[in-house]
Amino acid sequence: MAVESPRLLAFAGSLRRESFNRRLIPVLAEGARAAGAEVSLIDLRDYPLPVYDGDIEAAGMPEPVHRLQDLMSEHDGLLISTPEYNGSMPALVKNTLDWISRPTEAGPSGTTLFRGKVAGIVSASPGPLGGLRSLLVLRDALAKLGLVVVPQQIAVGLAAERLPETGLLADERMREGVHGVGAAVADLAARLRRQ
Ligand SMILES: Cc1cc2nc3c(=O)[nH]c(=O)nc-3n(C[C@H](O)[C@H](O)[C@H](O)COP(=O)(O)O)c2cc1C
């Protein structure tokens, strides 16, 4: 029986309309698609969430959480492009992951939604280091949730020059690197699907 293509969920960790990380996501997705994955691109603007608060959760889970949890259960992995804020990942990314990790009707812990799935991470920043430090923190957070984060990662520095428009990464070596991250996630997710 033919094994279905792995399905990956991709988003940028920035709400800004002209976000460099938003511009980078299609490049990451392109690499994954070329390696055989189906990629769903989402915009976190469409999933507005308050800062996590147990009282809000107790009063009723915000509706976007259900939609994100459903998406997570339907996909084999994540592709994330994150900014770096003060040497770490943005609150938006952590808050989104925290809400998704809350219990669902299907299981006592939302972390079961993440467990054994694959993730690939990249970052972009106008600074020279490209947000590299945010990747270290995000990698650790994803691993704690049970995702297998592929070792490949790329931090796109000097993003104002290198990412002049959506999907255009004007540096061949970096473009290949970002494609490589997407391809590695697609490959590993496909192998895990076959098991
Ligand atoms: C609160 C804050 C902290 C920041 N800290 C860093 C930082 O530590 N390192 C860095 O390279 N850029 C930092 N920046 C600049 C961001 O990289 C820049 O705003 C970038 O465009 C954000 O990503 P986006 O274009 O995807 O929205 C910071 C920006 C903000 C708003």
Side-chain angles (χ1 to χ4, degrees):
M1 205 173 73
V3 179
E4 280 177 38
S5 304
R7 301 189 64 204
L8 306 176
L9 184 65
F11 63 84
S14 173
L15 301 175
R16 207 167 69 86
R17 223 166 312 231
E18 294 303 325
S19 156
F20 298 118
N21 288 280
R22 183 191 297 278
R23 292 180 187 175
L24 189 55
I25 274 291
V27 184
L28 186 56
E30 196 172 63
R33 288 188 179 123
E38 283 175 29
V39 183
S40 313
L41 273 67
I42 61 165
D43 183 337
L44 292 185
R45 279 172 170 267
D46 297 327
Y47 301 84
L49 288 170
V51 171
Y52 178 79
D53 176 341
D55 290 341
I56 294 177
E57 181 181 3
M61 196 69 100
E63 181 271 340
V65 178
H66 290 301
R67 287 191 285 132
L68 285 165
Q69 288 179 326
D70 287 347
L71 281 170
M72 200 61 233
S73 74
E74 291 159 9
H75 288 79
D76 302 296
L78 288 175
L79 298 171
I80 302 176
S81 183
T82 182
E84 176 178 283
Y85 285 173
N86 296 313
S88 188
M89 78 172 108
L92 171 71
V93 177
K94 184 68 166 62
N95 192 53
T96 301
L97 294 171
D98 287 342
W99 273 115
I100 298 174
S101 77
R102 299 306 297 149
T104 64
E105 280 163 24
S109 164
T111 57
T112 52
L113 287 176
F114 294 113
R115 212 164 295 147
K117 295 191 177 180
V118 186
I121 55 176
V122 296
S123 61
S125 157
L129 298 182
L132 182 64
R133 291 169 300 179
S134 67
L135 292 178
L136 304 178
V137 184
L138 178 57
R139 174 176 293 280
D140 191 49
L142 291 169
K144 285 199 172 79
L145 288 169
L147 289 127
V148 180
V149 189
V150 298
Q152 296 86 341
Q153 63 180 34
I154 297 288
V156 178
L158 311 179
E161 293 96 84
R162 288 180 170 142
L163 286 162
E165 57 188 79
T166 299
L168 177 61
L169 177 50
D171 180 304
E172 196 180 337
R173 212 166 50 85
M174 284 205 160
R175 194 166 57 246
E176 282 172 9
V178 173
H179 284 164
V181 175
V185 176
D187 286 348
L188 183 55
R191 258 184 282 161
L192 292 175
R193 233 177 201 279
R194 284 195 292 270
Q195 280 182 359

